[in-house]
Amino acid sequence: MSEALLRAEKLCKEFPSGGGVVRVLQGVDLTIAAGEMVAVIGPSGAGKSTLLHLLGALDSPTSGALYFCGKAIFSLSIAARAEYRNRAVGFVWQRHHLLPDFTAAENVAMPLLVNGTDREEASRQAADWLAKVGLASRAAHAAGTLSGGEQQRAAMARALVAGPRLLLADEPTGDLDESNSDAVFALLQRLQREHGLTAVMATHNRELAGRCDRVLVLERGCLVPRGAGNGPPGQGNIG
Ligand SMILES: Nc1ncnc2c1ncn2[C@@H]1O[C@H](COP(=O)(O)OP(=O)(O)O)[C@@H](O)[C@H]1O
Ligand SMILES: [Mg+2]
């Protein structure tokens, strides 16, 4: 296996709750090789989203460390951490978060414009990515008029257009029916392989999780390989 791209060491995350705290992550250890696709499963409220937020530096841990290509992300300056978030990581969420009144192409071009790419180049790359996700013919359509599956595919193009090495997907098929869910996952996996991306996908769907290179279960605040914990066996949706 190739070198670790991402490594988490004893990540803990607590949130204030009432007068006390809720301990969501209680020492997550994780090593992900470059090019690997890892599924994180666990019931609703287990802390999957909390973990992905930390892996993408959208939030800071209560304690613990995260290394990307050997660099300690939470020891970086605020500006360098933002650079990691904006350049190294692409996010796909359960809800697409596209701007509904802007076209698919404008939505996909946005991360490039934010990164300082000129308008013409951004449009060209957005068009390329819309073609890769099978939406060339929808480029000029307002995002709000696309179907759920199309919106999630546009969201994938937006996540990947700026060339991140790490893709974080939080229940990316959670809002879709079975056939769209299957198609969106298949596309995600194809793009992950073709572009040599490293991916972490949180999902409720054990069948899709089983198609990833590795499945980890978040239980009692820690990540364990599937089969090692006491979670319920079986197929289908959990939580
Ligand atoms: N910002 C927050 N403030 C307080 N509690 C939070 C916050 N974010 C998440 N939590 C709590 O952390 C736990 C895990 O949430 P989450 O990471 O969203 O789980 P999952 O994605 O596995 O469903 C839940 O109990 C949730 O209520
Ligand atoms: Mg969640």
Side-chain angles (χ1 to χ4, degrees):
M1 206 181 264
S2 45
E3 75 193 78
L5 187 87
L6 191 70
R7 190 159 60 83
E9 241 176 47
K10 297 188 175 57
L11 276 184
C12 294
K13 183 67 181 179
E14 301 174 346
F15 293 108
S17 164
V21 294
V22 47
R23 294 194 170 83
V24 178
L25 303 180
Q26 304 189 46
V28 167
D29 290 317
L30 174 67
T31 303
I32 304 182
E36 201 181 10
M37 184 175 198
V38 174
V40 173
I41 62 172
S44 212
K48 302 181 297 297
S49 296
T50 301
L51 176 61
L52 290 193
H53 291 164
L54 294 183
L55 297 183
L58 291 169
D59 199 359
S60 306
T62 306
S63 62
L66 177 72
Y67 301 90
F68 177 81
C69 296
K71 227 188 281 174
I73 295 300
F74 294 114
S75 303
L76 296 174
S77 67
I78 289 177
R81 206 186 295 188
E83 174 94 359
Y84 165 71
R85 196 163 48 228
N86 293 333
R87 302 225 178 234
V89 186
F91 294 94
V92 179
W93 310 101
Q94 180 166 355
R95 293 191 181 78
H96 55 80
H97 297 300
L98 299 168
L99 299 173
D101 296 334
F102 287 78
T103 66
E106 286 166 339
N107 271 281
V108 174
M110 240 165 253
L112 294 172
L113 297 175
V114 168
N115 282 347
T117 307
D118 75 59
R119 205 160 272 282
E120 204 174 315
E121 178 62 17
S123 299
R124 197 185 58 72
Q125 291 186 31
D128 275 0
W129 271 95
L130 281 168
K132 283 182 199 175
V133 300
L135 289 179
S137 65
R138 295 282 187 277
H141 292 225
T145 66
L146 303 178
S147 74
E150 288 173 338
Q151 286 171 332
Q152 203 56 326
R153 285 193 273 151
M156 241 185 278
R158 182 190 52 186
L160 297 177
V161 71
R165 293 188 66 189
L166 177 65
L167 174 65
L168 300 176
D170 193 357
E171 314 247 15
T173 66
D175 271 4
L176 303 176
D177 62 33
E178 199 179 326
S179 81
N180 270 305
S181 165
D182 228 64
V184 161
F185 176 79
L187 175 64
L188 190 80
Q189 195 165 46
R190 181 167 64 73
L191 294 173
Q192 182 260 333
R193 299 221 161 116
E194 281 177 5
H195 293 268
L197 301 171
T198 303
V200 183
M201 178 180 75
T203 183
H204 268 75
N205 188 314
R206 284 172 177 265
E207 194 272 315
L208 295 185
R211 293 201 236 156
C212 295
D213 298 321
R214 192 149 57 100
V215 183
L216 299 171
V217 186
L218 194 49
E219 55 181 33
R220 290 183 287 277
C222 292
L223 266 186
V224 295
R226 177 151 73 172
N230 300 315
Q235 302 270 315
N237 289 339
I238 53 171

